[in-house]
Amino acid sequence: GAGVSQSPSNKVTEKGKDVELRCDPISGHTALYWYRQSLGQGLEFLIYFQGNSAPDKSGLPSDRFSAERTGGSVSTLTIQRTQQEDSAVYLCASSLAQRGETQYFGPGTRLLVL
Amino acid sequence: SQKIEQNSEALNIQEGKTATLTCNYTNYSPAYLQWYRQDPGRGPVFLLLIRENEKEKRKERLKVTFDTTLKQSLFHITASQPADSATYLCALGGDGGTSYGKLTFGQGTILTVHP
């Protein structure tokens, strides 16, 4: 079966523009996660969705970041008024549930803010 | 504040030897710990999970131990091969029994296995 897919694979934008990053999780996975990986840094948790529960947004770095998950499947991470420090690889993962299950990662979206 | 440290940024070993990677944490009470492998330009790939009530897990050439008293996990790759060269990440989840799905990752250790 297909794994987690993300689009676009690369995105170059100008400072101040808004960007949308998309994640298609594995079919049937109820949990979906977003992480950020900056050059030389570890993965930084941003947000996760579990079924119909309210998302855990505790990792979002500022109110410029938001995410939604429609129909319990596809998710979009939106960054408004991008800044150069937002440049990073944004990784999405999904799992069958959230109780310590394996997380399956997508290939990531490489965002460069000029 | 919570902190996860992986023993070194880089580890170089000879083919056939055992690679041992260390993950130490502070100010964290994980319900479980996972190890992932990440190759350049790719997303992490899950390797092993060990829960707080388990001491050791094995999978083929991989072994992980978990000592909640020492707040440490050791990850071993036996009979290492050049194909094992990658970045290895430890991740803790379920801090204090809450936020069960949220993973906190270490910085990673870059393992290079020389032929």
Side-chain angles (χ1 to χ4, degrees):
Chain A
V4 177
S5 60
Q6 293 186 245
S7 61
S9 54
N10 293 280
K11 177 73 177 178
V12 180
T13 191
E14 293 179 349
K15 177 181 172 182
K17 300 284 189 183
D18 297 351
V19 295
E20 284 190 352
L21 312 179
R22 177 188 168 103
C23 173
D24 282 272
I26 294 173
S27 177
H29 280 193
T30 59
L32 185 147
Y33 314 81
W34 283 98
Y35 297 88
R36 177 169 72 173
Q37 189 170 34
S38 304
L39 191 63
Q41 302 291 316
L43 274 77
E44 174 190 11
F45 166 81
L46 297 177
I47 185 172
Y48 81 79
F49 300 86
Q50 170 57 41
N52 295 321
S53 302
D56 180 337
K57 304 179 182 181
S58 60
L60 294 179
S62 77
D63 59 8
R64 296 186 296 105
F65 288 72
S66 63
E68 62 178 23
R69 188 178 186 191
T70 54
S73 180
V74 171
S75 177
T76 302
L77 177 69
T78 301
I79 309 173
Q80 296 178 310
R81 305 180 302 282
T82 52
Q83 303 294 312
Q84 289 182 330
E85 60 263 29
D86 298 334
S87 296
V89 177
Y90 289 82
L91 290 156
C92 174
S94 70
S95 68
L96 277 172
Q98 69 170 48
R99 296 196 62 77
E101 299 293 335
T102 301
Q103 294 189 16
Y104 296 85
F105 283 81
T109 292
R110 284 148 191 81
L111 175 66
L112 177 60
V113 182
L114 300 176
Chain B
S1 61
Q2 294 180 337
K3 195 172 183 181
I4 301 174
E5 285 188 345
Q6 295 192 234
N7 57 323
S8 57
E9 285 192 12
L11 181 64
N12 293 279
I13 64 169
Q14 285 299 123
E15 182 176 9
K17 301 292 186 184
T18 295
T20 298
L21 286 66
T22 305
C23 178
N24 295 292
Y25 59 91
T26 55
N27 298 321
Y28 207 110
S29 298
Y32 62 92
L33 184 148
Q34 298 182 352
W35 283 88
Y36 287 79
R37 167 184 174 142
Q38 187 174 26
D39 291 285
R42 312 288 288 270
V45 174
F46 171 81
L47 296 175
L48 282 169
L49 176 149
I50 188 164
R51 300 189 188 276
E52 61 180 333
N53 60 346
E54 298 174 317
K55 296 292 185 186
E56 182 179 300
K57 275 278 187 73
R58 291 174 185 262
K59 179 182 176 183
E60 298 172 351
R61 294 185 295 113
L62 309 179
K63 184 177 86 171
V64 62
T65 62
F66 193 14
D67 189 326
T68 55
T69 301
L70 290 178
K71 296 186 182 295
Q72 180 182 78
S73 174
L74 299 179
F75 178 76
H76 306 272
I77 305 174
T78 58
S80 60
Q81 304 165 0
D84 295 328
S85 298
T87 297
Y88 291 85
L89 304 165
C90 79
L92 278 62
D95 184 28
T98 63
S99 301
Y100 217 85
K102 176 181 172 181
L103 287 178
T104 302
F105 282 84
Q107 300 284 80
T109 295
I110 302 171
L111 173 67
T112 303
V113 181
H114 299 280

